[in-house]
Amino acid sequence: TCFSRGFVRGRTGRYDERVTSPTYLLSNSYDVDGGSTKLYHMDLYRLSGAETDLLPLDLEKVFTSGISLIEWPSRLNKKPSERLEITLTIDPSTDAAPEIEDEDSKYRRMTLIPFGARWVERLQFLQSEGLLEDLM
């Protein structure tokens, strides 16, 4: 949710936007691009992955007409062929602040996996412009 909060605030330009986890609502949406595009933030943790669980989310529409941030995408039966998977993990082998013994002091690792030519090209562009270095 922390990554999604930053993404939503950055994409909408509303830096004080209240962005909460949609764990119980399943989906929150935000207007971007002057309202011409929807950004969907979904949390599928509570779902089993059964097709009937996913029906209310109208995923076909969401995937073709907006931007989707999905927590627990492993609950999806079918993922879009064109997508960027972002995986965030805590690297237990490194400590940002060894004197502090809590999870917040650990380094995070972000893995970006592009699916489809569009996302491969986008990541290559970001890398060639040095913009991925900002994530390091």
Side-chain angles (χ1 to χ4, degrees):
T1 299
C2 192
F3 173 83
S4 297
R5 182 176 300 117
F7 186 93
V8 168
R9 288 177 176 170
R11 193 66 171 81
T12 62
R14 296 186 300 267
Y15 302 105
D16 58 349
E17 179 80 38
R18 182 167 160 78
V19 179
T20 59
S21 174
T23 301
Y24 295 101
L25 297 174
L26 300 181
S27 181
N28 292 332
S29 63
Y30 306 87
D31 289 326
V32 296
D33 301 333
S36 64
T37 305
K38 284 276 191 202
L39 190 161
Y40 301 92
H41 175 205
M42 295 179 233
D43 186 335
L44 307 182
Y45 176 76
R46 294 185 315 115
L47 303 181
S48 68
E51 205 166 313
T52 53
D53 282 352
L54 300 170
L55 282 176
L57 296 173
D58 198 8
L59 292 175
E60 187 174 332
K61 176 187 169 199
V62 166
F63 291 154
T64 58
S65 68
I67 300 167
S68 305
L69 299 174
I70 302 174
E71 296 179 40
W72 295 89
S74 58
R75 304 287 204 266
L76 292 172
N77 308 351
K78 184 178 174 189
K79 297 176 186 175
S81 58
E82 293 267 336
R83 67 186 186 277
L84 177 64
E85 287 191 6
I86 301 171
T87 304
L88 301 171
T89 55
I90 295 175
D91 187 347
S93 67
T94 58
D95 260 339
E99 67 280 3
I100 301 172
E101 294 188 25
D102 68 11
E103 289 303 310
D104 289 339
S105 71
K106 304 280 187 199
Y107 283 113
R108 271 54 173 182
R109 180 180 306 266
M110 178 184 285
T111 306
L112 306 173
I113 304 172
F115 289 84
R118 183 171 135 210
W119 282 106
V120 168
E121 289 170 12
R122 284 180 174 184
L123 281 182
Q124 286 173 341
F125 171 77
L126 292 174
Q127 187 169 13
S128 71
E129 295 293 312
L131 297 172
L132 291 180
E133 294 171 15
D134 292 341
L135 298 174
M136 296 179 194

